[in-house]
Amino acid sequence: MNRHLGDDSFSKLLHTSYADLCKEKPLQPVCNQTPPRLQEEALFCGCSFSFDVYDLSLSNLNPTERIVLDKRIDRESYIIFNTFSESLKKVFSPVMSSSIVPMVIGKGAYDFAPLINSLSRILELEINSSIVQDIRQMQGIEMPAYYKKYKPDHHDLKITIGTKEIDLNCENDGKLKPMMIGESLMMMRYYKKHLAKTLKVEENVINQHLKQLEVLRDYRNKASHSNVITEKEFVDFYNMFCNLMRQGLLTIWANDKERLCRYNM
């Protein structure tokens, strides 16, 4: 057993081949396995599930790999993962090109931006629940009392990175306003030495993740505005996102979430 809420499946199954996993009973969400303490606090999803990876160059959409994800992702992330999977299989897959048919924007005349936006929202949710809260704590916001919460009467908590001023305690209708992923990544790069220590990873690991996340951010920005996203652009984004899942990014961030939520408890 490790400290991942008593669950050691992630470390064992992360690199298990899809064929081997298929020999076993498929993983199903089991939300009632969350320890009572965390269940009461409603902090984490608490569901064991897998993220099926597809080779999008093939004519048939069959999983080629199954990545078991850390059960400590946010509940909202779990819902978005499900929505993405169904959208990919039922809406976009029937009109996607195969390895035989060239990828052309005119085929099906579909905009793949919704798929990019779904996976980007997961990254935005998870980094707000971990890295952003870590930096808020470093700047004097008490954890877990104000974990993902606005701290009243603590208005002047802004940091300046280059020419950008970032508010770590921005209030929106009485709640903490989530940070956009661009600002989160800017802070992640600026405080990477601190984060390497609290996340218990080498600084070069954070650099590698940042390099990939910043590319995904650019795709996300394009998808969120008036651009039509081509199939090729989505495939490039999807392959990089899957690579981050293989590297266990969500578990590294989940470790930080658990530390913050148990701080001084």
Side-chain angles (χ1 to χ4, degrees):
M1 288 283 184
N2 59 24
R3 70 184 190 88
H4 295 174
L5 302 185
D7 175 45
D8 61 356
S9 61
F10 183 82
S11 59
K12 290 181 178 179
L13 298 179
L14 177 58
H15 299 298
T16 303
S17 69
Y18 180 73
D20 289 340
L21 278 166
C22 284
K23 296 176 184 177
E24 304 177 3
K25 184 179 180 180
L27 290 171
Q28 298 294 330
V30 189
C31 292
N32 60 1
Q33 291 183 355
T34 312
R37 179 180 184 180
L38 290 181
Q39 196 171 54
E40 290 171 3
E41 294 171 354
L43 293 175
F44 307 116
C45 168
C47 301
S48 297
F49 70 102
S50 60
F51 178 63
D52 287 339
V53 177
Y54 302 94
D55 183 345
L56 299 179
S57 67
L58 302 178
S59 56
N60 294 319
L61 194 70
N62 294 316
T64 56
E65 181 184 357
R66 176 171 288 171
I67 302 174
V68 178
L69 296 178
D70 197 296
K71 66 166 59 179
R72 294 169 298 171
I73 67 170
D74 284 12
R75 194 175 302 277
E76 293 86 351
S77 297
Y78 171 73
I79 293 170
I80 297 171
F81 265 123
N82 277 345
T83 305
F84 167 82
S85 179
E86 291 304 301
S87 297
L88 176 62
K89 289 186 288 186
K90 295 181 179 180
V91 178
F92 290 90
S93 173
V95 301
M96 291 181 72
S97 307
S98 69
S99 56
I100 302 173
V101 182
M103 290 184 180
V104 291
I105 190 171
K107 186 177 188 301
Y110 268 55
D111 175 18
F112 287 80
L115 296 179
I116 285 182
N117 281 328
S118 287
L119 296 183
S120 297
R121 286 174 63 206
I122 291 169
L123 294 175
E124 195 166 81
L125 277 166
E126 295 299 324
I127 199 170
N128 262 288
S129 297
S130 54
I131 301 298
V132 172
Q133 303 309 311
D134 192 325
I135 295 170
R136 292 180 78 231
Q137 182 191 51
M138 183 181 67
Q139 296 294 331
I141 297 290
E142 298 88 348
M143 298 291 160
Y146 296 104
Y147 175 76
K148 294 175 69 174
K149 294 179 181 178
Y150 169 70
K151 183 175 181 181
D153 302 321
H154 204 85
H155 307 294
D156 190 19
L157 189 61
K158 298 178 181 179
I159 58 174
T160 302
I161 301 177
T163 59
K164 179 72 173 179
E165 187 176 69
I166 301 174
D167 191 345
L168 295 172
N169 196 45
C170 186
E171 182 264 346
N172 181 25
D173 197 22
K175 297 181 179 180
L176 180 68
K177 183 178 179 180
M179 199 166 292
M180 300 296 288
I181 194 168
E183 293 180 332
S184 301
L185 294 180
M186 189 179 296
M187 291 198 305
M188 188 175 174
R189 181 169 291 283
Y190 189 76
Y191 290 108
K192 62 183 176 182
K193 290 186 182 295
H194 162 80
L195 293 170
K197 182 178 180 180
T198 59
L199 298 175
K200 294 181 172 57
V201 297
E202 298 293 330
E203 194 173 327
N204 70 309
V205 172
I206 294 181
N207 284 331
Q208 291 169 9
H209 289 159
L210 272 167
K211 185 176 180 181
Q212 297 170 84
L213 287 166
E214 286 167 349
V215 173
L216 296 185
R217 174 208 57 202
D218 293 341
Y219 277 106
R220 186 258 191 192
N221 289 343
K222 184 176 181 181
S224 298
H225 295 94
S226 58
N227 300 280
V228 169
I229 300 299
T230 67
E231 180 178 338
K232 182 181 185 306
E233 287 173 313
F234 163 65
V235 171
D236 290 344
F237 177 97
Y238 176 79
N239 289 336
M240 190 171 293
F241 180 91
C242 291
N243 191 43
L244 283 169
M245 298 302 101
R246 292 187 189 97
Q247 294 169 28
L249 178 66
L250 295 187
T251 283
I252 293 173
W253 288 353
N255 289 341
D256 204 30
K257 287 196 286 184
E258 185 173 344
R259 180 189 67 81
L260 291 162
C261 293
R262 294 180 183 276
Y263 192 75
N264 288 337
M265 294 180 69

